[in-house]
Amino acid sequence: MPFIHVDLETGLTDQEKSELTQQIVEVTHAAIGSAVEHINVVLREWPGANIVEAGRSLATEPVTA
Amino acid sequence: MPFIHVDLETGLTDQEKSELTQQIVEVTHAAIGSAVEHINVVLREWPGANIVEAGRSLATEPVTA
Amino acid sequence: MPFIHVDLETGLTDQEKSELTQQIVEVTHAAIGSAVEHINVVLREWPGANIVEAGRSLATEPVTA
Amino acid sequence: MPFIHVDLETGLTDQEKSELTQQIVEVTHAAIGSAVEHINVVLREWPGANIVEAGRSLATEPVTA
Amino acid sequence: MPFIHVDLETGLTDQEKSELTQQIVEVTHAAIGSAVEHINVVLREWPGANIVEAGRSLATEPVTA
Amino acid sequence: MPFIHVDLETGLTDQEKSELTQQIVEVTHAAIGSAVEHINVVLREWPGANIVEAGRSLATEPVTA
C-alpha cells in the first residue's frame, strides 16, 4: 500500500512517465511514511475522445459535421 | 466531482463516445445538481478477451482447440 | 458491460442515489445500445477531506491552525 | 456483483487471460457464494513504463542516458 | 503486479474476506505465474443503495413512497 | 486531467491527507505540466482486512482460531 492510479490523456514521453511516477512515490513516502517498496503506481492513458474534463470533451475534432 | 469511469468493450465510434459522455454529464447534473464544469468522465476500452461479463468471457474465439 | 464507477463526495440521499444510477443506466442504453441488464453502476462516496477537485481540497475545515 | 478489476503488465496470451479470468470467477463463487452469472472481470493491461511496482519502475530501458 | 480490485456489496465476514483474497492470490499465481509477493488485492465494499447490478438497484427498500 | 486515485489502509489523519494530496498535486504539475486546476485526487481508505499487500493480508488478527 498504497496503490495509486493515474488516469490521463495519452502523449507522455517515457521520460515524463518516469519523472511523474518517481515523484509520486517520493512524496507519498514523505507525506505519510509509506516505505518506498510498498508503493505501487499505474499510469492509465486514454485518447482525448475518451475523456470529459470539467464538463468539456478532450476530443480534438468535432464528431459531427 | 464526480469522477466517472466507464469500463467497456472496444468498438465505440467517436460519435458514440461523444454521445455517451455528454449524456452522462447531463444526467449527473440533473440528478444530483453537480455543476457541469465539476463533472469528469473517462471511457476505458478493452478487447473482449479481457472481459468476463456476468460469468461469460467476451472473447470472440475459443482460446483452446 | 459497461461497468460504471462514480467517485463523489458523501452526502447523497438514497433518492438521489436512485435517481443518479437509474439515469446513468438509461442514457448508457440510449447512447450506445447496451442492454439494460448488461449495465452495472457503483457509487463510491468519500468525505471531502479525501478529495482534491480541480486542485482544491474539499476538506471543510483547515487542517492546520 | 462483484466487479473485479485486474491491472497488470501487458504480455498475457489469450490463453492466460482466459485461464486467469475463469479461475477468478470460480474462486469468487466458491469463497463468498456469488452466483457465477453475477461476477464480472476486466483485465487492464499496461506497458512496463506505466508501472511502478513496490517502488521500482517496470520500464525495461532507462529513460535517461 | 497485478493490482486487483474487487467492488462488491457490504456484508462479508472477515473469514469470507480472508478466504476470497487468499484464493484470488493463489489462482492468479497459478494462472499467469505472478510471484505471490507481487500480488495485491483490495476489497471495496458498498451498501446496496450504491449499486446497480445488471440494470437493477441493490437497494433493499424503495426510495419513493 | 489527470484523475488520481489512491487506495490505502485507513488511519491517516486529516493533516496527513492534506499533506499527501497537496504534494501529489504539486509533483504532478511539476513533472508533466498539468495545470493545478486540472488535477483531481481521491483517497480511498480501507480496513486492513480488505487488503492483501505483496501477497500478505493486512488483517491485524487471524480470522481462524
Side-chain angles (χ1 to χ4, degrees), chain E residues 3-23:
Chain E
F3 309 145
I4 302 169
H5 305 84
V6 184
D7 284 280
L8 76 180
E9 197 173 1
T10 51
L12 293 185
T13 64
D14 279 2
Q15 177 68 43
E16 288 174 315
K17 292 180 187 181
S18 174
E19 182 74 9
L20 177 58
T21 55
Q22 183 174 335
Q23 289 286 316

Side-chain angles (χ1 to χ4, degrees), chain F residues 23-47:
Chain F
Q23 290 286 316
I24 287 176
V25 169
E26 288 182 12
V27 296
T28 300
H29 168 66
I32 62 172
S34 303
V36 166
E37 62 267 29
H38 286 187
I39 303 173
N40 304 282
V41 186
V42 179
L43 304 184
R44 309 194 281 207
E45 300 176 283
W46 309 102

Side-chain angles (χ1 to χ4, degrees), chain D:
Chain D
M1 303 291 305
F3 309 146
I4 301 170
H5 306 85
V6 184
D7 285 274
L8 74 180
E9 198 172 2
T10 52
L12 293 185
T13 65
D14 279 1
Q15 178 68 44
E16 288 173 315
K17 292 180 187 181
S18 174
E19 180 74 9
L20 176 58
T21 55
Q22 182 174 337
Q23 289 287 317
I24 287 177
V25 169
E26 288 181 13
V27 297
T28 300
H29 168 67
I32 62 171
S34 302
V36 166
E37 64 268 26
H38 286 187
I39 302 173
N40 304 281
V41 186
V42 180
L43 303 184
R44 309 196 279 209
E45 300 177 285
W46 309 102
N50 288 37
I51 300 172
V52 168
E53 177 186 40
R56 293 179 309 103
S57 171
L58 299 191
T60 50
E61 298 181 22
V63 295
T64 55

Side-chain angles (χ1 to χ4, degrees), chain B residues 1 3 5 7-8 38 53, chain C residues 1 3 5 7-8 53:
Chain B
M1 302 295 300
F3 309 146
H5 305 84
D7 285 275
L8 74 182
H38 285 188
E53 177 187 41
Chain C
M1 302 294 301
F3 308 145
H5 306 83
D7 284 274
L8 76 179
E53 177 188 38

Side-chain angles (χ1 to χ4, degrees), chain A residues 1 3 5 7-8 53, chain F residues 1 3 5 7-8 38 53:
Chain A
M1 302 293 301
F3 309 145
H5 306 85
D7 284 275
L8 75 181
E53 177 187 39
Chain F
M1 301 292 301
F3 310 144
H5 305 84
D7 284 275
L8 76 180
H38 286 187
E53 178 188 39

